Amino acid sequence: MKIIGLTGSIGMGKTTTTKMFEQHGVPAIGSDDIVHALYDNEAVEPIESLFPGSTKDGKVNRAALSKYVIGNSDAFAKLEALVHPLVKLKQDEFVEVARQKGHDLVLLDIPLLFEIGAEERFNAIIVVTCDADVQRQRVLSRKNMTTEKFEAILAKQIPDHEKRRRADHIVDTSVSLKETEAQVIAIINILRHS
């Protein structure tokens, strides 16, 4: 079984692309979805211990937690050191289930794949990209997103051109959904027959 890593900067279309892989029979899971689940379960007590008052009703309160970590790189590093191993454990469990079910491919959507140095975990890496103007338009249309917030997120991410250089495969979502899906199908065929 081949383990595929999918990544890309904010607003590039990772979620949509991941769903297309799923629709074509490739089991997929996103890191963001795992974190959301952890914030309702396993991560609650350890996060509350690190950041008192950051949970409410047995769940992590993102607004309260963000007061600790926004602009505080030490606190953010502590949060990542706690959450990243839990995310990896869930990913490993997902991969094992896919393996037991006999799948030949499994996809993990990891927005910061290159930033955390996870390349060696994968048989192939797909980078989702789009035109910078399209990216900006998508991101700034999100609720509670500001230009400053967008630029701060971009500053923490490896530039798109560098991600594309390091990719085994690229999906360009600047085009129509049908054209994007055609790229996904072509990549699946390549991965299955290489």
Side-chain angles (χ1 to χ4, degrees):
M1 182 176 76
K2 290 180 182 168
I3 304 170
I4 314 306
L6 182 140
T7 193
S9 299
I10 183 170
M12 294 296 194
K14 292 182 300 297
T15 302
T16 300
T17 303
T18 297
K19 285 179 183 162
M20 288 178 180
F21 275 93
E22 286 181 297
Q23 289 163 355
H24 290 280
V26 178
I29 191 166
S31 298
D32 292 345
D33 294 333
I34 294 172
V35 171
H36 282 287
L38 289 170
Y39 278 17
D40 290 346
N41 293 292
E42 297 98 308
V44 176
E45 286 181 33
I47 287 176
E48 179 63 29
S49 296
L50 265 181
F51 307 107
S54 63
T55 65
K56 186 178 179 183
D57 301 326
K59 296 179 180 184
V60 172
N61 180 318
R62 287 173 175 269
L65 179 61
S66 70
K67 289 176 184 165
Y68 278 100
V69 299
I70 298 296
N72 183 336
S73 57
D74 288 342
F76 194 76
K78 286 179 184 172
L79 177 64
E80 285 187 322
L82 171 77
V83 173
H84 284 177
L86 295 173
V87 170
K88 185 179 181 308
L89 185 67
K90 294 293 183 186
Q91 289 168 337
D92 291 346
E93 289 171 2
F94 185 82
V95 168
E96 189 50 39
V97 168
R99 187 185 317 278
Q100 289 173 8
K101 290 182 176 177
H103 289 282
D104 57 346
L105 302 173
V106 64
L107 185 139
L108 304 179
D109 171 357
I110 305 177
L112 299 176
L113 188 153
F114 292 122
E115 289 83 350
I116 63 171
E119 297 96 319
E120 75 285 345
R121 291 174 56 195
F122 301 99
N123 300 102
I125 295 173
I126 298 166
V127 168
V128 180
T129 187
C130 69
D131 179 78
D133 292 336
V134 173
Q135 175 192 27
R136 175 174 286 276
Q137 186 180 355
R138 286 176 183 168
V139 176
L140 293 178
S141 70
R142 294 179 182 180
K143 190 178 172 189
N144 299 322
M145 183 56 71
T146 63
T147 302
E148 295 76 29
K149 213 173 184 182
F150 173 49
E151 286 169 2
I153 292 167
L154 276 184
K156 290 181 181 174
Q157 297 182 338
I158 290 172
D160 180 55
H161 65 86
E162 175 62 16
K163 287 180 180 172
R164 283 186 274 120
R165 189 188 66 74
R166 294 162 71 173
D168 297 301
H169 305 278
I170 294 172
V171 174
D172 184 349
T173 65
S174 300
V175 296
S176 71
L177 286 173
K178 190 170 185 173
E179 290 168 302
T180 301
E181 186 176 22
Q183 295 173 69
V184 167
I185 293 167
I187 292 170
I188 291 171
N189 288 331
I190 291 166
L191 292 170
R192 286 203 162 123
H193 300 103
S194 61

